[in-house]
Amino acid sequence: MPVVDDTLDRVFGALADPTRRAILARIAGREATVNQLVNAFDLAQPTISKHLKVLERAGLVSRGREAQFRPVRLDPKALAGVDAWLGDYRRFWEESFERLDDYVKQLKEKDAEDER
């Protein structure tokens, strides 16, 4: 039975949209208010708010409170799950390339022996 990871599904769902990825890139350096994001992306405030809600549900951003402002900041913990998931595939490809490299070395050694 496959393991169901709702968090990973929400994170990948959130990352599937280029605007949301751009928002994450924008706030990775420093937090921003909704109005700053509206100005940066030339989108309507409700549109930015909808994107932020998706990112919040995925655990990719959080909102603070400073006076009347609610700055949005990147929460990288959710990305750690993505990194772990991708790491399994990275290891698969690294092992496959190592086996291919060993095979090519064996072929080269055999060719060298045949030439002697």
Side-chain angles (χ1 to χ4, degrees):
M1 180 174 190
V3 176
V4 177
D5 186 348
D6 290 341
T7 303
L8 197 56
D9 291 346
R10 283 192 300 270
V11 170
F12 276 114
L15 294 175
D17 185 276
T19 301
R20 291 193 284 267
R21 290 193 306 271
I23 289 171
L24 289 177
R26 173 81 163 65
I27 63 172
R30 69 177 197 202
E31 62 189 26
T33 64
V34 171
N35 285 335
Q36 289 169 327
L37 293 172
V38 167
N39 292 333
F41 292 96
D42 198 25
L43 294 171
Q45 190 271 334
T47 303
I48 290 291
S49 292
K50 285 181 183 177
H51 284 301
L52 290 176
K53 285 180 183 173
V54 173
L55 292 168
E56 279 185 293
R57 279 195 297 269
L60 292 166
V61 300
S62 61
R63 292 190 197 205
R65 181 170 295 280
E66 294 174 17
Q68 72 271 23
F69 299 108
R70 295 196 66 208
V72 180
R73 57 182 65 102
L74 177 67
D75 190 349
K77 287 180 285 194
L79 292 174
V82 172
D83 184 51
W85 187 83
L86 291 173
D88 292 341
Y89 293 97
R90 185 180 318 114
R91 279 185 292 281
F92 167 78
W93 285 110
E94 287 171 353
E95 291 170 5
S96 296
F97 285 128
E98 286 174 13
R99 285 194 305 272
L100 179 62
D101 192 41
D102 290 344
Y103 181 68
V104 170
K105 285 178 185 173
Q106 288 174 0
L107 290 176
K108 285 182 178 179
E109 288 172 4
K110 186 176 185 234
D111 284 347
E113 287 176 12
D114 290 345
E115 289 179 10
R116 290 183 207 157

